[in-house]
Amino acid sequence: EAQVTQNPRYLITVTGKKLTVTCSQNMNHEYMSWYRQDPGLGLRQIYYSMNVEVTDKGDVPEGYKVSRKEKRNFPLILESPSPNQTSLYFCASSLRWGVSEAFFGQGTRLTVV
Amino acid sequence: SQQGEEDPQALSIQEGENATMNCSYKTSINNLQWYRQNSGRGLVHLILIRSNEREKHSGRLRVTLDTSKKSSSLLITASRAADTASYFCAGGVGAQKLVFGQGTRLTINP
């Protein structure tokens, strides 16, 4: 089954404690992206990747890092989380970003206290 | 920056009625996509209409695109309780961006 898998689904952490949200897709897509979703602000792109070792900033990259060492994985790293990063995060992949349909993971609800 | 603006923000109708949601965007797009999101879950792709298309159908869904007005609409016919969800339009921009609107929350009352 074609899918994008994120882990964990729920995470509560404390300010400053580094964390990683994993994302994996099984469709051999070159394009992957991270979004955050906040009430009243919709979905905003954090980072995207067009291929292995190629990543670039989206609209809200501050406080986040990503890596793309393998085509299937695109982890999101918060080196020093802060309460304003409390949000619902989505990973997505696509054959051709912005041209073909995107597949989304089930989301990670992160709370930073 | 948000590109898509959706109207209405919330819509409540009776089961069996048709639901229409509108989306406007600001810049040139390759295509306009519609997604559905059930509460707190991932987005599911519904339909994609290319910039050179004016109308597209998929089951009970009908999408129109007017590039001169930079607007699109999504019509769901014969609505069902299971259609209750949030619906987002997203504009494909270049090869890197898929810019989402803030969504329309649709409630189907039995």
Side-chain angles (χ1 to χ4, degrees), chain B residues 17-29:
Chain B
E17 294 180 341
N18 296 340
T20 299
M21 289 159 270
N22 302 297
C23 167
S24 61
Y25 56 93
K26 296 176 182 175
T27 60
S28 295
I29 57 173

Side-chain angles (χ1 to χ4, degrees), chain A residues 9 31 35 37 40-45 48 50 59 88 90 97-102 104-106 109, chain B residues 1-2 30-31 33 35 37 40-43 45 48 50 88 92-98 100-102:
Chain A
R9 292 289 311 281
Y31 291 80
Y35 283 84
Q37 184 177 30
L41 296 175
L43 285 99
R44 295 179 291 169
Q45 191 178 44
Y48 63 92
M50 291 190 286
D59 297 317
L88 180 58
F90 290 102
W97 198 257
V99 177
S100 50
E101 69 177 287
F104 282 79
Q106 288 298 298
R109 188 168 292 280
Chain B
S1 60
Q2 291 297 321
N30 301 320
N31 59 69
Q33 304 181 31
Y35 289 80
Q37 183 183 34
R41 300 182 68 83
L43 281 78
H45 182 264
L48 181 155
R50 303 191 190 287
F88 294 86
V93 181
Q96 296 100 6
K97 275 193 170 292
L98 191 60
F100 286 83
Q102 293 194 22

Side-chain angles (χ1 to χ4, degrees), chain A:
Chain A
E1 179 189 356
Q3 60 184 6
V4 177
T5 303
Q6 289 178 235
N7 279 296
R9 292 289 311 281
Y10 302 92
L11 179 59
I12 300 175
T13 190
V14 297
T15 298
K17 185 176 181 181
K18 180 179 178 179
L19 67 91
T20 299
V21 184
T22 63
C23 174
S24 180
Q25 51 94 4
N26 64 359
M27 295 165 279
N28 202 38
H29 286 164
E30 291 188 347
Y31 291 80
M32 298 187 74
S33 185
W34 278 101
Y35 283 84
R36 61 178 288 175
Q37 184 177 30
D38 302 287
L41 296 175
L43 285 99
R44 295 179 291 169
Q45 191 178 44
I46 303 171
Y47 268 94
Y48 63 92
S49 170
M50 291 190 286
N51 211 330
V52 174
E53 302 293 0
V54 180
T55 64
D56 208 345
K57 297 176 181 179
D59 297 317
V60 288
E62 294 77 20
Y64 305 95
K65 285 176 58 177
V66 292
S67 69
R68 188 90 182 274
K69 293 182 170 57
E70 309 164 276
K71 183 180 275 192
R72 65 182 291 123
N73 295 323
F74 191 45
L76 179 69
I77 303 157
L78 284 73
E79 294 271 3
S80 183
S82 62
N84 65 12
Q85 292 179 299
T86 292
S87 186
L88 180 58
Y89 291 87
F90 290 102
C91 179
S93 74
S94 180
L95 191 61
R96 292 181 64 196
W97 198 257
V99 177
S100 50
E101 69 177 287
F103 292 79
F104 282 79
Q106 288 298 298
T108 295
R109 188 168 292 280
L110 172 65
T111 302
V112 183
V113 298

Side-chain angles (χ1 to χ4, degrees), chain B residues 11 13-14 16-20 75-79:
Chain B
L11 178 62
I13 61 173
Q14 295 300 120
E17 294 180 341
N18 296 340
T20 299
L75 169 67
I76 303 174
T77 60
S79 64

